[in-house]
Amino acid sequence: KQEVTQIPAALSVPEGENLVLNCSFTDSAIYNLQWFRQDPGKGLTSLLLIQSSQREQTSGRLNASLDKSSGRSTLYIAASQPGDSATYLCAVNDYKLSFGAGTTVTVRA
Amino acid sequence: EPEVTQTPSHQVTQMGQEVILRCVPISNHLYFYWYRQILGQKVEFLVSFYNNEISEKSEIFDDQFSVERPDGSNFTLKIRSTKLEDSAMYFCASNGNGQGGEQYFGPGTRLTVT
């Protein structure tokens, strides 16, 4: 059974600092990995998808890396802003999505 | 941009009642999913559906749950006799690129069982 772990569980940084969010998974037989953002009480906003054949994917200030063989992905958010405060979820796709518990980020102004 | 829609946004029901949660997937997508998130917990997979049948279901998806694609646009999740522990946010997703394709999520239905 796929297990997805996200470290740290919570992170508080001053505005402007870069964020590094980690995700690990136990079974490397995946099709892709998605990073989502979730605001309190709200739905899931897809941020980035990395196919299993890719090592990296970028969108604006966001960059995600994937090392499938070691079962790890990292989401980097450059120059954080208070609007980046949210919970970030990692999900691996092996026909269905298996989610981590998320990293809750607070960016202090 | 096409999106997945879900209705209602919030449903309150009494224990033992039947509820139907509705989803309209993206129009040319063929793979459909339901997930749920109990407050403060992980998002959990419930069921996947393709070609008018269930592809995979989790241990959570017991005989109290059923899914249906009643017409060419809707995808529904029915809970026959709701329990307090069914209170959660239910998300529908669809995928147009084969079994491992990117899944697009709806905004969710918050189900509260009293």
Side-chain angles (χ1 to χ4, degrees):
Chain A
K1 183 186 169 191
Q2 182 76 265
E3 296 290 341
V4 182
T5 303
Q6 291 188 245
I7 293 173
L11 191 55
S12 178
V13 299
E15 183 177 3
E17 197 161 296
N18 297 332
L19 292 164
V20 180
L21 310 180
N22 297 297
C23 171
S24 62
F25 47 97
T26 53
D27 187 344
S28 62
I30 65 170
Y31 285 90
N32 53 59
L33 182 147
Q34 275 182 269
W35 283 94
F36 293 88
R37 169 184 171 137
Q38 186 173 36
D39 293 292
K42 302 294 185 184
L44 306 172
T45 301
S46 183
L47 298 174
L48 285 170
L49 177 139
I50 315 179
Q51 298 291 354
S52 61
S53 57
Q54 294 179 303
R55 300 281 295 185
E56 203 171 313
Q57 188 68 260
T58 298
S59 176
R61 293 185 295 113
L62 306 180
N63 174 276
S65 66
L66 174 64
D67 184 343
K68 201 175 83 150
S69 60
S70 67
R72 294 176 193 274
S73 177
T74 303
L75 178 67
Y76 303 89
I77 303 177
S80 61
Q81 304 166 358
D84 294 329
S85 298
T87 296
Y88 292 82
L89 304 178
C90 160
V92 297
N93 188 342
D94 54 7
Y95 290 165
K96 62 185 181 294
L97 292 181
S98 298
F99 284 81
T103 295
T104 299
V105 170
T106 303
V107 180
R108 307 186 303 271
Chain B
E1 187 176 327
E3 58 183 19
V4 177
T5 59
Q6 290 185 243
T7 54
S9 56
H10 190 190
Q11 171 103 39
V12 181
T13 190
Q14 290 192 324
M15 201 165 48
Q17 296 296 304
E18 175 183 287
V19 293
I20 297 176
L21 309 184
R22 301 181 192 279
C23 170
V24 179
I26 294 173
S27 64
N28 61 344
H29 286 189
L30 299 177
Y31 297 82
F32 314 116
Y33 312 84
W34 284 101
Y35 294 83
R36 79 171 186 189
Q37 185 178 33
I38 295 171
L39 188 64
Q41 296 188 23
K42 286 186 181 186
V43 177
E44 302 172 288
F45 168 76
L46 292 178
V47 66
S48 59
F49 189 87
Y50 169 72
N51 199 26
N52 280 321
E53 59 183 33
I54 290 173
S55 309
E56 188 174 352
K57 59 184 181 180
S58 71
E59 294 162 355
I60 303 165
F61 195 89
D62 62 22
D63 291 344
Q64 292 301 308
F65 291 88
S66 62
V67 289
E68 193 179 27
R69 186 148 164 87
D71 53 43
S73 58
N74 289 284
F75 179 51
T76 61
L77 175 69
K78 184 194 300 188
I79 309 175
R80 281 188 192 60
S81 177
T82 50
K83 306 183 187 77
L84 294 176
E85 53 265 37
D86 293 327
S87 295
M89 182 78 99
Y90 288 80
F91 294 107
C92 171
S94 71
N95 153 26
N97 284 312
Q99 278 190 293
E102 182 174 4
Q103 295 182 25
Y104 294 81
F105 279 74
T109 292
R110 180 167 299 285
L111 177 66
T112 302
V113 182
T114 61

